[in-house]
Structures are given as C-alpha cells and as structure tokens.
Amino acid sequence: MVDPPAHVALSTVESSLHDSVQALLKEMSSHSASHKGVLRWSLQKKLDANPSSSVSLISVLVRELDKMMQIHKTQTYTHAIPVLHTLYYVVIQSGITIPTSVYQIVYECLMKLLILPSPYSAVALSTLRIIKMEMTTPGSLYQRRVTAEQNLRSEHFNLQEKVFVLADPAVFSAPMEAAVRSHLETSSYLRDTSTMQKNVLLRVLHTGLGTTCQSSTLAQALEALGEQMVEKYFQEVVLAVETSVKLGAGGRANYLNELQHIYREILTASEEEITKQDHGSWCRTAMPFPEIKFLLWRDKKDLWNLLANLAKCPSSSSTSVDEEEKDKRDSVRSDDSGIGRDLKEGDCDDTVQSPITNPGTVFTRRNAFKNMKSVDKQSLMRGKIDTFPVLKEDMRRHTARVVVLGDDRVLGRLTRAYHAIREKESKKLFLTKKLNLRFYYIPVTDVEPSLSSPNEGRLSLASLLGRVDPWYNSNINSLGAAIAKLPGMHSKQKEPPQQNPFLLDTLCYYLRCGTQPVNLPLYSVKMTRSCCDVTSVVEEVFVSHLEADIPEFRHLKEKFSKEPKLRRKKSMDVFGSVISVSYKKISLSKREVVKGEAPMTCGVVITSEPAAVTSGKDHLSVKFDSVNKGYNTTIKTQSITIRTLEDRTLSVCLDKDSRRTYTDVQRVEISPCLDPRCSAKSKFSVSQERELLLSKYLDKVLSLPINTFTGVTL
C-alpha cells in the first residue's frame, strides 16, 4: 500500500504534468510565434531531470486521448498528434522500466484511435506498433535507435543512419554559419564507440530487468571490462533484442531470461572491481545526439556527392547483391521513415495482438455460419491493423536524413537536386538499392522580423506546411527566430554553447518523430530561349513559384502605377497583345476547358497550390500582371503555355531565387513533372520491368516528400 505522503507527492507531480500538457496543446492554437516550441522542450527537460515521472506523464497522455475520443464528434483531431509523439518520446527517453499494466492501458487506448480519419490513424498505427514492440521487447527502441544513429557495427542489426544539414548561403551569413555549426557539432563531442555500447548495455538491461538490475553496480562492472568484452556483450544484447522482435510476444520470456544471463555474466567477469554498495537503481543513459554533418550548400552536386559517398561506404557494400535485388521499392517515394519504418516492420507479424492478453477470436462458428460478436470495437480495430498495407522488409542498410535550412529558395534547390537524382536512378539504380532518403525542412530567413513584410512570400512553403501540420508550425517554424539569435549568443561564449541545446534537441525531436511526409507536387518548365539568333531549350523544375515578366516594361509599370487614371489610358496601346497564353482551365464542374488568350499584360506570377492545402487536386494559380487593373485576372490550371509576341522576350525566375533566373525566353511550357523513373525507357531487369508496368496504375507525377509530424496522404 502507498503511504499518504507518497500519494500526495504523486498527485502533485501528475497535476503539474497535466498543466504542462494542457499548455502544450493550447500553444498550438496560439498565433504568437515568439516562444513556440519551448513548452515541448521544457517538458522534455523535465522528464530528463526526473525519469521516475514517466509513468505519471503516460497516464496524463492516455487520459487526454480518451477524452479526445469521447468528444471527437465536435472537435478536430489535431491534438492527437502532439499527444502521440509525446507518448513515443516518453517511452524512448525515460530510461526506467514501465510496468506491463501501464503498457496494456496504452495499447487499448491506441487501438481506439484507429477509427480516426487519415492521417491521424496512420500516426496512431505507427505509434501502436512501436509501443507494442517495446512491450514485448523492453529496451528495443533505445537499442535500435542508438545503434543506427551512432553507426555501431553489428551483424545482427546493421541499419545505419547519417544526418546531413544543408544551409543556403543566400540566407546564412558568416556569423550565423559559425554559430549554427558550433551548436550542431556539439553532437560530435565525446563520441566513443565503447562508451555508446556500454550505454546500450546499461539501458537495455535496466529497462528489461527492472528492479532486479542494480544499475550502479552494473555501471561499475562495465567500466571494469575491456573493450573486447564490452563488444562481446553488446553483440549478445543486440542478438537477444532482434531475436525477440522477430518472435513477437512469444519471445518475451526467453528474451528476459537471456538478459538475466548476460547481466550475471557481466557481474561475474568484473566481480573483483565492483564495490558492494549500490547507490541507486536507476541509470542515466539519455538518448545521445546523432552525428551531424553541417555544410553550406554551394554546389548543386553537393547532395549527390554526399549520398554517393554514403552508398559506397564499407558497411553498405557488405550487403550482398542478392539481398539488394530483393528490394525493388523506390526509396524516395516510399512511405516508410528509415529506422522508424524498420521498427514497424520488425514488429509486424500476421496480426498485431496484445502480448499480455489474448482477447479471443472475433468470429465463432455455429452450424456452418459465421457470427460476429456485437459491437466489438477492439476487434474491429485489430482488423483494421491486419488490413493496413504492409511492405516487405527493406534490405537497404542506410538511411540518409537530409535537413535543409533556408527559405523557399532552398526548397527550390532541393527540388532540382531531387529531380536530378531521379533522372540518374532512371538510367541505373545506385542510391535506391542502398539508401532510404528522407527530407526535412527548417525555415530560416535572413530578414529581420520587423522588416519581413516585403519578403513574407519567401516562407510560403513553411506557412503551407504549418497549416497542414500545426505541430510542425509550433516546433519547427519557430526555429528560424531561434537560429537568427544564435550569432549574438555565440559571440558572448568562448566555449561551445552546450548549456542550452534547444536547437539540437528540437532537431533530434524532428528527425525521430517527423516520420509522415507531406508531398509537394513538382512542375516541369520547358523554356525556349533566343540569344544572338541562336535558339536553345532549357528544362527546369520548380516547387512553389514561377515569375515571368517583360524586362522592358518594368519601369513603365512603375511609372503608370503613379500616374492618374486618365493619363494612364493614353499609353495602353504599348501593352497590347504582347503575350499569348494557352491553358486548361479548371472549372467549378471539375472539367478542363482549353482556353487561348492574349491579355494586356507585362508579366505572369504562377504559384503552386498543393492538394494538401486546397483539399481538392494539385493546381497552379496564375495571376496576369498588368498596369491596367482590369486585366489582373487569376486562373486555376494544371498546365499552361506562355509565348511572347513582337520579338519581345521574358525573364523567368524560379522559386524566387535570383540564381535561377533565365533571360531571353520566348516560350514557356509548364506542366506537372512526371517521375523520370516511371517514364524511363532504359533497360531494366525483369523484376524492374514488372515494377514499371505496375507503375502505370500509380500516380506518375513527381512530388517532393518533406517529413512532418502529421503528414498528408495525397
């Protein structure tokens, strides 16, 4: 029985955590961006400082989910996302043994969430599978995550991860680059393979064995062991984890017995070095930061070179050709999330059942008829798990996590590099066979907040992602302001700023929990240029914005905008039929109508409107810009052709990036960008040809998948 003082203390802790969670959810609806993301980080730090509060926090989160389901008919489900991701982070970060009874309550709660609409049910299902694996194999989440992120070699689990952070030099000044680099490179300090292996041993054994594991005694024993012995026991623990994950609930007992055996062996091997006193039963083995490579993205080939070097590394080449041939899925288009996806796959047996209780069969037979028990919602949810599409095990051994920092321009650069990768892969598979590729975006601008109004459009894609995913808006869109303050903080500190690792912690949270992609459609641009009587064709792609204007009319537009309306009318003849336009207009009836117009215009502004925001279909919003406001019309279309008349030429700028400006353009053809892999006519193997045949039934339009917390299935 719990004595009164302990009961009062527990209530106080739980009440404090409840207030923190409520403040976190309330922040999502706040329009203030000054301190967004800090509440989540503060809750994370509170948990790190007091891991024993993990069970209390889980109880608070489960009650919040239950309350959400009770009133789900009158509210949106956006609050489910932060609660689910916080739940996952509690489990992976806590470092204590969570009672089986608590896991069972969590499991039953998550089962109910599978009736939610997409994409919330997808996040709930992902969390359910991860929680289930930790139920059957305590410590497996930590072991897999650290082994992959720290690139610890193991023949039993050889998935590896690399994190590349690419910053746009157009946004990052030298002081900002130095400050961000200093913060991110903190992750590389004190990185030692043997230390990481000891941490894994300590954490897995303590989590699995609970109170029977004397953590401080075990820590002393591990310190007394040589590196070879640490390596030996590390490999044994990894083997035990992977064996248990494959067996599912049936392997739990053997797994715990194996952990107990390894624990006793370690104590016996270093018995003489261990002091008799155990100063505590909890071990502090917080999740270490992954190694991060930071660089300014100066050359368009930088991304390809980074990925190619990763694909050529020795551990990747150890994967046999036969294994590689088993995997014919496209890494960039897949819905898995690197190590997170493999966690799900390791957990996916024929049915997802509770390892603690067997609820019994859903159907019973009587006189050759099937009768289903009435109103068995849990069984219906389990059936939904069974029918959820499951991909075969991924044989690739590396995940490249690419984080880009900047505004719309850096996503335009990523779009071009991504398309180039797809083109190369359409001719010969190289990266696809060896790498899972994940993209992340942290918006950063070089404009002061007080002066940002003229350039708000440069963060249009960040705003779009924030509208699609409010949790992304709360945690990632707010990072730009924090990054802008780093140079001032950095100049005052002589040592690396490790005291307040807000940026690094938030980045790691994004990498680990941002597993759901939002697909931004790409558009191909074919430009016919004429210079010195020489005609050439340039093919490009853009993701957010295209602007075309007639340079010789820019000053006239500025002049006429200041003149009175009567005087302006006399000069309208200059802006006669200077641009010919043909397009397919998207009408209210969803039918496409061919139109051909020659409006009095001096420019065209085209922006992408993804289905993720419009709740319809991807389309372009085309605004004709004229000195006469009567001709400033806007249309919706998916493809358009613009041609100049009277020997005039256009200046075309892609994704608001002056570095991607093309002059002397006579004709511009814009249409949805087809995936080069689907339209390739290269020679493929029989299995690859079969995949290409199947691809005709899939969406061939290429999109840029940016990972968020909620994601949108397009």
Side-chain angles (χ1 to χ4, degrees), residues 2-106:
V2 181
D3 54 13
H7 178 73
V8 173
L10 179 60
S11 299
T12 303
V13 170
E14 202 160 312
S15 176
S16 174
L17 292 172
H18 176 267
D19 292 342
S20 297
V21 171
Q22 292 302 313
L24 202 66
L25 300 179
K26 185 178 179 180
E27 182 190 54
M28 291 182 65
S29 305
S30 172
H31 296 290
S32 174
S34 56
H35 299 291
K36 280 198 171 186
V38 176
L39 289 177
R40 178 207 54 79
W41 184 64
S42 299
L43 181 60
Q44 179 182 332
K45 294 291 104 179
K46 186 183 295 186
L47 184 66
D48 290 344
N50 184 20
S52 60
S53 64
S54 298
V55 175
S56 297
L57 181 54
I58 290 175
S59 300
V60 170
L61 296 172
V62 169
R63 283 201 299 270
E64 191 63 35
L65 290 174
D66 282 335
K67 182 175 68 175
M68 194 179 307
M69 292 302 297
Q70 292 172 5
I71 59 175
H72 71 276
K73 292 183 180 180
T74 59
Q75 71 167 18
T76 61
Y77 307 99
T78 53
H79 286 177
I81 299 302
V83 175
L84 288 170
H85 287 306
T86 303
L87 181 62
Y88 162 72
Y89 228 64
V90 172
V91 173
I92 198 173
Q93 284 279 87
S94 63
I96 67 168
T97 302
I98 297 176
T100 301
S101 58
V102 174
Y103 271 136
Q104 180 64 34
I105 295 173
V106 174

Side-chain angles (χ1 to χ4, degrees), residues 406-622:
D407 50 30
D408 288 347
R409 293 172 291 179
V410 78
L411 281 179
R413 176 169 287 198
L414 179 62
T415 295
R416 186 165 61 169
Y418 173 59
H419 183 264
I421 290 174
R422 299 293 292 181
E423 283 190 318
K424 290 183 179 181
E425 290 292 284
S426 69
K427 298 172 184 176
K428 182 180 179 181
L429 293 180
F430 176 60
L431 296 181
T432 299
K433 295 195 295 183
K434 298 183 178 182
L435 294 179
N436 289 305
L437 188 56
R438 301 289 173 265
F439 292 129
Y440 305 81
Y441 172 49
I442 297 178
V444 183
T445 181
D446 56 344
V447 181
E448 292 291 334
S450 59
L451 305 175
S452 62
S453 54
N455 293 280
E456 284 180 353
R458 283 192 177 177
L459 294 177
S460 63
L461 289 177
S463 176
L464 181 152
L465 294 173
R467 293 197 303 273
V468 171
D469 184 354
W471 194 231
Y472 176 93
N473 189 53
S474 293
N475 291 280
I476 307 304
N477 275 348
S478 60
L479 272 184
I483 291 174
K485 297 177 183 177
L486 289 181
M489 299 170 53
H490 182 69
S491 61
K492 299 177 183 179
Q493 298 181 355
K494 297 181 180 180
E495 297 181 356
Q498 302 180 43
Q499 303 300 322
N500 186 19
F502 174 71
L503 172 60
L504 197 52
D505 279 335
T506 304
L507 174 59
C508 291
Y509 178 79
Y510 183 25
L511 292 171
R512 290 162 182 163
C513 292
T515 60
Q516 308 297 321
V518 171
N519 296 309
L520 304 177
L522 306 189
Y523 291 89
S524 64
V525 184
K526 186 177 181 181
M527 292 172 283
T528 303
R529 305 177 68 192
S530 177
C531 182
C532 301
D533 297 328
V534 177
T535 302
S536 62
V537 177
V538 177
E539 295 187 5
E540 260 276 18
V541 292
F542 75 94
V543 67
S544 67
H545 187 274
L546 181 146
E547 185 171 357
D549 68 348
I550 300 175
E552 62 190 275
F553 290 164
R554 290 174 187 166
H555 69 285
L556 292 175
K557 180 185 175 184
E558 295 175 0
K559 176 183 177 181
F560 290 148
S561 64
K562 300 176 183 178
E563 290 184 354
K565 193 172 183 179
L566 291 176
R567 292 182 58 188
R568 195 185 310 165
K569 192 173 182 179
K570 298 179 181 179
S571 304
M572 284 297 100
D573 291 341
V574 179
F575 301 92
S577 299
V578 294
I579 292 180
S580 173
V581 179
S582 62
Y583 59 93
K584 291 184 178 180
K585 183 177 180 180
I586 301 177
S587 63
L588 293 176
S589 61
K590 305 296 183 180
R591 292 180 298 176
E592 295 182 340
V593 182
V594 177
K595 290 283 184 179
E597 296 182 1
M600 292 165 50
T601 180
C602 58
V604 179
V605 177
I606 301 176
T607 56
S608 172
E609 301 290 342
V613 176
T614 62
S615 300
K617 61 189 299 187
D618 300 329
H619 67 269
L620 296 170
S621 178
V622 183

